[in-house]
Amino acid sequence: MADAVEAVVVSGMRARADTLWTIAACTIALAPVPASAEEGFDTEHIFGFMIGSDVGNVGEREFQTETTGRFGKGGGNYRALGHEVEIEIVPLPNFRIEVGGTATLHDITGVPDIDDRRQFNFQGLSLDLRYRLLDRERAPFGMTVAAETHGDRIDEVSGAKGRMYGTDFTLAFDRELIPNFAIGALNLIYQPEWTRFEVSGLSEKSSTIGAAFAGMVRVSPNVLLGGEIRYFRQYEGISLGEFSGQALFVGPTAYFQLSGQSRLTLSWSMQAWGRPAGSGANLDLVNFERHQARLVFGINF
């Protein structure tokens, strides 16, 4: 009986994941469009996998859902879907707090070095703190430092149970290239991680560094289109020990201001080049995925 219930749950989640983009497109088509848009850019949410330097105004409160899909490994079938629910507040000038919880769905079959599994689980909790150091309206560019700490009970890659802790440190820069038309952003990233698996008892430490660039242009008062380029290098140990692999991701991003209070961001990235340590391969499908996709919906309240 338990197996049947689990199969129904997983089947339903997979169906929802497959129709995610269709639902998003329908939402965009049917949503009311505000009569006018604000001048300039609010870069807090316009990017998919990156962040901007804006953090919101004092007193702002937002509810946000972020769905991230990761697809394709070195063999077999690999699908991982994470859905995070977040609450954001801005209690002080230039300072933003976000708390969130994540649930994950894994569908893995025949992937080297990863156990087969089909499961849906609550993954863990996160706390994201951001402080804006420079406001681009008063400085040549905007600059924000961010630290997102997470504690998980499910490994986001393999779906294995355990204890996972880490912090994603990001230094974000952005600048309007053409006023109210084009903007560029740069992120510098450091991600140390510590993992202890429940079944094997093994502990692992790893770290990732990266740099990412995005460009967005305004194609209508409430629509921005652009792309993101992200490069990562992964190492064993939290202090950048032995090199494990590297990957370059590229892909488009679209931002839609659905109404005065709601917004939607769609982003997709494909691994264009990569190489695991000790290999001559043109892709690193050991440490990274072949495709990544993200849908973010937010509303002010």
Side-chain angles (χ1 to χ4, degrees):
M1 181 64 181
D3 292 340
V5 172
E6 181 180 359
V8 170
V9 172
V10 172
S11 180
M13 288 298 296
R14 291 180 62 186
R16 286 193 288 272
D18 291 337
T19 59
L20 187 62
W21 299 103
T22 302
I23 294 172
C26 293
T27 301
I28 296 165
L30 297 175
V33 178
S36 62
E38 295 182 359
E39 293 294 318
F41 292 93
D42 181 353
T43 63
E44 184 179 3
H45 300 294
I46 65 175
F47 305 111
F49 292 95
M50 297 173 53
I51 66 172
S53 70
D54 290 332
V55 295
N57 300 317
V58 174
E60 282 189 358
R61 298 175 299 175
E62 293 185 311
F63 170 81
Q64 176 174 291
T65 65
E66 180 179 287
T67 304
T68 303
R70 301 185 304 279
F71 311 98
K73 282 288 191 179
N77 177 71
Y78 180 84
R79 298 177 184 176
L81 189 70
H83 184 72
E84 184 173 11
V85 177
E86 305 161 331
I87 298 293
E88 304 173 3
I89 61 172
V90 185
L92 299 169
N94 300 313
F95 180 61
R96 197 197 80 169
I97 301 174
E98 174 187 294
V99 294
T102 303
T104 55
L105 171 68
H106 288 85
D107 182 5
I108 305 172
T109 306
V111 177
D113 301 321
I114 300 180
D115 292 338
D116 293 355
R117 66 181 78 244
R118 290 185 178 182
Q119 64 182 32
F120 173 71
N121 278 300
F122 172 73
Q123 178 179 336
L125 301 172
S126 65
L127 173 65
D128 185 356
L129 305 177
R130 300 185 191 181
Y131 183 76
R132 184 170 60 184
L133 301 171
L134 294 176
D135 185 343
R136 65 176 178 279
E137 293 185 359
R138 302 177 179 85
F141 52 84
M143 181 171 67
T144 289
V145 60
E148 181 179 5
T149 299
H150 58 88
D152 301 326
R153 55 183 293 273
I154 300 293
D155 181 52
E156 69 173 6
V157 176
S158 67
K161 292 184 178 181
R163 292 290 181 268
M164 299 82 188
Y165 304 99
T167 301
D168 298 348
F169 297 99
T170 304
L171 189 59
F173 304 86
D174 55 30
R175 176 184 172 88
E176 284 196 46
L177 306 177
I178 302 176
N180 201 37
F181 178 73
I183 192 162
L186 171 68
N187 284 184
L188 301 178
I189 303 158
Y190 169 57
Q191 301 170 331
E193 299 279 343
W194 178 85
T195 301
R196 181 178 179 84
F197 294 102
E198 182 178 289
V199 175
S200 66
L202 295 177
S203 296
E204 296 180 358
K205 295 180 181 179
S206 65
S207 53
T208 303
I209 59 172
F213 174 79
M216 301 287 285
V217 297
R218 191 185 302 278
V219 298
S220 77
N222 305 297
V223 178
L224 305 177
L225 297 179
E228 301 180 20
I229 302 174
R230 299 175 295 139
Y231 173 70
F232 298 101
R233 294 176 64 89
Q234 191 170 106
Y235 298 83
E236 295 182 5
I238 61 174
S239 57
L240 306 180
E242 184 177 350
F243 175 68
S244 299
Q246 57 188 323
L248 176 70
F249 289 88
V250 298
T253 296
Y255 172 82
F256 304 89
Q257 189 68 44
L258 302 179
S259 69
Q261 289 75 39
S262 61
R263 53 181 167 77
L264 182 73
T265 307
L266 302 172
S267 191
W268 169 73
S269 283
M270 175 184 68
Q271 188 180 153
W273 178 86
R275 182 165 296 172
S279 171
N282 293 323
L283 296 174
D284 183 355
L285 299 179
V286 176
N287 301 291
F288 304 94
E289 297 80 34
R290 184 71 174 91
H291 299 277
Q292 298 176 350
R294 178 167 289 176
L295 183 153
V296 183
F297 173 79
I299 186 168
N300 294 344
F301 64 94

